[in-house]
Structures are given as C-alpha cells and as structure tokens.
Amino acid sequence: MTIDNPRLLRDAFGAFMTGVTVVTTTGPDGAALGFTANSFSSVSLDPPLLLVSLSKRSANYASFTEGRGFAVNILSEDQKEISNTFARPAEDRFDGLDWQPGPHGAPVLGGVSAWFDCALERVVEAGDHAILIGRVEAFDNSGQAGLGYYRGSYFKPAQTATQLATGPAVVVSALLQRDGEVLLVDDGQGGLGIPTARAGEEGASATLQRLIAATGVEAEPSFVYALWEDVKRGQQHIVFLCAAMAGAPARGRGFVELNESTLGDVTDPALQVMLRRFAEESRIGDFGIYYGNQNAGQVRRVAAEAGQ
C-alpha cells in the first residue's frame, strides 16, 4: 500500500495493541486539562523517563509543551467512559471525576491502573505531532488491570485472559413447554429462538433462574435436555427443559405449537433440529438428552415421566 493514504496508514498503526492513558496538566490559569492517548511508552529507568505524543492541532498544545510538567494516567479496565470523555471536545472534562493534584502538580485520576507525575524534560518536534518526554517525579501502581485498545476498539486484556483460561463460553437456554407448546422469543437476528443467555460468574443454575424470571412465566426446570459444543463459536450450550405453569409471557411470540411454520422461523440450525426432536418426543412421550456438537451427537433416553 502507498503511504499517501492517511486512513489506511492509521489502520495499519492500529494493528499494534496498546494500553489507554489520559495525559493531564494544568493551564496558565490553573485549570485542569487532559486528553486521551495510546501513544505512550517508557523510555528509560535511569533516569526515569517516559514519552507521549501530542497533536499540534490540540487546543491545549501550548499548555502541554510550555508547562512545567504533565501526568500520565493509565486507565483501568472499567474506565472506558473516562477515555471517551477525554477523547471528545468538552467544556470541562474533569467535571464529576475523582482526581487530585499529583506530587509534582499535574492532575492524577482516581481508580487508574497506574499514574506517573512528570516534569517536562524535553519537547521533540515530530511531523504533525510533538513528543513530550517526561522525567518521572512520582508514581503509583494500583495493580488493577489496564484498559486495552486494538484496531479502533477497546478490549479488556485481563477479562479476556480469564475467559480463555476457563475454556469455552457457557450458554444457557430455557426450553419452556406448556400444554404441548413452547415459548419462542425474538433471537435478535430477525427470527425466533428460545430464551438464552451467556452464563456469568453466578453459574448456569442462577443464569437459568434469571432467564425464567425475565419471561414473566412461572416455571420449574425438569432436566438438561441438550448439551452440545459449538466449536466454531467457542461455546458450550446447556438447554434445560422447563415445565411452565402460570403467567403470561412478557416478550416474544408466546407459547406456540411446533409446526413447519413456526420451526421455519427458527434461524439457528442446531436449535431447529433440537426443537424438531422435541416436537416428536412430545408427541410420543419419550424424551432423550442430546450430547455432541452443533453437527452430530447422540440422544440418550430418559424416563417418559421426566418431561411431564
């Protein structure tokens, strides 16, 4: 690619994963100033130096390049909104924020992963930006995980690592049946599905109870009706068969008969196959539990009365 396309060049730079910082200083009138930056790097331990880059088009360019110093605040994973605040024009970006002057005078934000209060060591002209080199006068490290940035989007490195370490995502679904009919809801893709949610830290059982409560229907879980892995999506699905009792559905199409018309509106192929099996098993009163993946598996029979 040619280098005369700034958009493509910026996208290529975005392939490098970085952290997210808010760089702060005080203006001549003592007002707190700041901007979001991911162009931050340590430079030296002896002496302790770091750098950030600042656009020459910044309204606060003079305050940062002519002031006595600045602070670099490395944002924690839960501070995405602070990053957005300092990335957009605003009359007072510090309004409502937890912050205080650092030991060297620059604003230090609360709840950050780490901060460095620096004296301005040197300003280096660099095209349409200036490189601010700071000498670290004071710092603190909270130990909190930092917020990440990659190809124009935020991500949470520590949270992502935890998810990877614990294996595939667990997705819980509730197959609510009443009088031979099944509760179908909007699947978010223009079709129908069954109540589904990703299991959080509370576990599959608590997620199931939350799903049932959200439907507005009183129901009790009977047994695990299907258990399969979707290898491509990195998901493990657990479907609980639930006996629905009183209550009108709060959302979705409601309880419907599983026929060719309603099944044709189910967009997920694996779910459609499962619902076809359930329709047939309901007709003959002989239920089974499916084990496998999204393409193939086996059904193990259970007692007929378990589905009642």
Side-chain angles (χ1 to χ4, degrees):
M1 296 183 181
T2 60
I3 61 172
D4 57 357
N5 189 320
R7 178 69 260 180
L8 293 179
L9 181 59
R10 183 173 182 174
D11 289 345
F13 283 149
F16 182 65
M17 291 181 285
T18 70
V20 185
T21 74
V22 168
V23 185
T24 59
T25 192
T26 54
D29 59 354
L33 306 172
F35 66 94
T36 298
N38 66 337
S39 53
F40 157 76
S41 177
S42 60
V43 175
S44 169
L45 291 176
D46 187 16
L49 301 176
L50 56 75
L51 67 80
V52 294
S53 65
L54 170 67
S55 172
K56 291 182 177 179
R57 292 178 295 179
S58 169
N60 300 316
Y61 182 81
S63 295
F64 277 96
T65 57
E66 299 173 8
R68 65 189 296 263
F70 60 90
V72 176
N73 298 269
I74 299 179
L75 299 186
S76 62
E77 285 191 330
D78 295 327
Q79 293 183 313
K80 182 177 75 172
E81 289 308 313
I82 293 180
S83 173
N84 290 333
T85 296
F86 281 86
R88 295 190 292 254
E91 185 173 343
D92 183 4
R93 291 168 170 167
F94 289 82
D95 184 34
L97 287 185
D98 174 22
W99 70 277
Q100 60 184 3
H104 193 65
V108 170
L109 305 183
V112 295
S113 179
W115 57 261
F116 307 89
D117 196 6
C118 307
L120 182 61
E121 180 84 358
R122 185 180 176 189
V123 178
V124 180
E125 298 288 329
D128 57 6
H129 279 61
I131 298 172
L132 309 180
I133 299 178
R135 178 186 289 262
V136 179
E137 299 291 344
F139 73 97
D140 190 28
N141 178 15
S142 70
Q144 296 187 64
L147 181 64
Y149 197 72
Y150 175 63
R151 291 193 183 276
S153 299
Y154 296 104
F155 70 97
K156 299 181 177 182
Q159 185 180 94
T160 300
T162 300
Q163 292 170 351
L164 291 174
T166 55
V170 176
V171 178
V172 176
S173 299
L175 178 54
L176 285 89
Q177 60 94 15
R178 183 168 67 191
D179 299 328
E181 296 182 330
V182 170
L183 178 63
L184 295 182
V185 298
D186 181 6
D187 68 353
Q189 302 180 50
L192 295 176
I194 59 177
T196 298
R198 181 168 174 164
E201 294 181 356
E202 74 271 34
S205 297
T207 301
L208 175 63
Q209 294 300 326
R210 174 162 50 87
L211 275 176
I212 294 174
T215 67
V217 176
E218 294 181 19
E220 288 293 335
S222 298
F223 59 90
V224 173
Y225 185 69
L227 180 65
W228 81 86
E229 291 183 346
D230 189 329
V231 179
K232 289 185 178 180
R233 296 180 182 177
Q235 296 176 339
Q236 182 176 25
H237 292 259
I238 305 175
V239 181
F240 291 87
L241 179 60
C242 304
M245 295 167 283
R251 61 189 181 95
R253 181 173 291 189
F255 286 92
V256 300
E257 179 185 354
L258 294 178
N259 52 38
E260 287 304 316
S261 176
T262 54
L263 286 169
D265 291 333
V266 176
T267 55
D268 185 272
L271 178 59
Q272 188 179 100
V273 170
M274 187 196 74
L275 290 176
R276 288 184 184 277
R277 173 171 71 89
F278 179 75
E280 177 62 20
E281 291 178 343
S282 297
R283 185 182 65 81
I284 62 177
D286 186 13
F287 294 88
I289 303 174
Y290 174 84
Y291 297 88
N293 57 38
Q294 74 275 20
N295 297 318
Q298 58 181 314
V299 176
R300 298 180 182 177
R301 312 320 302 178
V302 296
E305 60 268 19
Q308 302 302 317

